[in-house]
Amino acid sequence: MKARILYIEDNEQNLYLVTYILEKNGYEVVAARDGQEGIETAARVKATLILLDIQLPGMDGYTVAGRLRANPDLAATPIVALTSYAMVGDREKALAAGCTGYIEKPINPDTFLTQIEEHLAKAMPPGGPTR
Ligand code: MN
């Protein structure tokens, strides 16, 4: 069974590209356009993985990650940050905020799926998924 991925992103082009790549490969994508919507959606849908843009309007991705981690239901859900390649400190800050990993923007369509599947593999060990 393919995974459901919650994608919290305000940029339409990234949203379109990522949704296209993931859906083409059999994943279900649930989108949220800002942090508040993302937190509410995460509590409502059981996502296998949360993909979180760091640069969001209003509440930034670090704050969102902290709020997601504060929900016990999401304690084991991998949160993969989308960080800007140019912003060196972003990756460390994302991990400190509770993210389990990161993918650098700009998104590379040739490697994106592999990157996501590496994070999913870490989240779902050979013993099988927990839900
Ligand atoms: Mn953004």
Side-chain angles (χ1 to χ4, degrees):
M1 195 187 78
K2 287 279 189 172
R4 175 188 291 156
I5 294 173
L6 169 60
Y7 184 24
I8 307 172
E9 171 67 83
D10 63 309
N11 180 285
E12 289 296 331
Q13 283 175 309
N14 286 343
L15 204 51
Y16 180 85
L17 177 64
V18 165
T19 302
Y20 177 80
I21 292 169
L22 291 175
E23 286 186 346
K24 196 175 73 161
N25 288 280
Y27 292 93
E28 182 186 347
V29 179
V30 179
R33 307 304 177 105
D34 61 38
Q36 191 57 45
E37 187 187 345
I39 291 163
E40 289 165 12
T41 307
R44 194 161 35 82
V45 306
K46 287 227 182 296
T48 312
L49 180 144
I50 297 171
L51 189 58
L52 172 64
D53 181 34
I54 290 300
Q55 292 173 313
L56 291 167
M59 194 190 306
D60 68 25
Y62 308 116
T63 307
V64 176
R67 300 273 178 91
L68 292 171
R69 281 289 173 244
N71 180 345
D73 291 343
L74 304 176
T77 305
I79 303 172
V80 176
L82 274 176
T83 58
S84 171
Y85 174 73
M87 303 291 280
V88 177
D90 275 13
R91 305 187 267 288
E92 290 70 25
K93 277 174 77 177
L95 297 177
C99 295
T100 39
Y102 54 83
I103 292 173
E104 286 175 350
K105 291 191 292 185
I107 290 160
N108 181 343
D110 296 329
T111 57
F112 182 76
L113 185 69
T114 307
Q115 291 174 299
I116 286 290
E117 293 192 330
E118 283 169 4
H119 287 293
L120 281 169
K122 276 186 262 178
M124 295 192 288
T130 53
R131 61 171 173 249

Short mmCIF file of all heavy atoms in Angstrom, two decimals, residues 9-11 53 55-56 105, ligand 1:
data_model
loop_
_atom_site.label_atom_id
_atom_site.label_comp_id
_atom_site.label_asym_id
_atom_site.label_seq_id
_atom_site.Cartn_x
_atom_site.Cartn_y
_atom_site.Cartn_z
N GLU A 9 2.73 23.65 2.09
CA GLU A 9 3.49 24.47 1.13
C GLU A 9 2.63 25.63 0.64
O GLU A 9 1.46 25.45 0.32
CB GLU A 9 3.88 23.56 -0.05
CG GLU A 9 4.48 24.26 -1.25
CD GLU A 9 5.84 24.87 -0.98
OE1 GLU A 9 6.84 24.14 -1.05
OE2 GLU A 9 5.89 26.09 -0.67
N ASP A 10 3.23 26.81 0.57
CA ASP A 10 2.50 27.99 0.07
C ASP A 10 2.82 28.29 -1.39
O ASP A 10 2.12 29.08 -2.02
CB ASP A 10 2.83 29.22 0.92
CG ASP A 10 4.30 29.59 0.83
OD1 ASP A 10 5.14 28.69 1.03
OD2 ASP A 10 4.60 30.76 0.55
N ASN A 11 3.87 27.69 -1.92
CA ASN A 11 4.28 28.01 -3.28
C ASN A 11 3.56 27.09 -4.29
O ASN A 11 3.72 25.88 -4.25
CB ASN A 11 5.81 27.85 -3.41
CG ASN A 11 6.30 28.16 -4.80
OD1 ASN A 11 6.14 27.37 -5.72
ND2 ASN A 11 6.89 29.32 -4.97
N ASP A 53 7.33 22.76 4.12
CA ASP A 53 8.11 23.92 3.66
C ASP A 53 8.47 24.76 4.88
O ASP A 53 7.66 24.93 5.78
CB ASP A 53 7.24 24.73 2.67
CG ASP A 53 7.98 25.94 2.11
OD1 ASP A 53 9.21 25.86 1.92
OD2 ASP A 53 7.32 26.97 1.87
N GLN A 55 9.73 28.03 4.66
CA GLN A 55 9.36 29.42 4.43
C GLN A 55 7.88 29.52 4.10
O GLN A 55 7.47 29.39 2.95
CB GLN A 55 10.21 30.00 3.29
CG GLN A 55 11.68 30.13 3.71
CD GLN A 55 12.58 30.52 2.57
OE1 GLN A 55 12.50 29.96 1.49
NE2 GLN A 55 13.43 31.50 2.80
N LEU A 56 7.10 29.71 5.15
CA LEU A 56 5.64 29.81 5.03
C LEU A 56 5.20 31.19 5.50
O LEU A 56 5.87 31.79 6.35
CB LEU A 56 4.97 28.74 5.90
CG LEU A 56 5.13 27.28 5.46
CD1 LEU A 56 4.69 26.34 6.58
CD2 LEU A 56 4.35 27.01 4.19
N LYS A 105 15.60 22.79 -1.45
CA LYS A 105 15.01 23.46 -2.60
C LYS A 105 16.13 24.18 -3.35
O LYS A 105 17.10 24.62 -2.71
CB LYS A 105 13.97 24.49 -2.16
CG LYS A 105 12.72 23.90 -1.57
CD LYS A 105 11.64 24.95 -1.39
CE LYS A 105 12.00 25.96 -0.33
NZ LYS A 105 10.93 26.93 -0.06
MN MN B 1 7.29 28.76 0.91
#
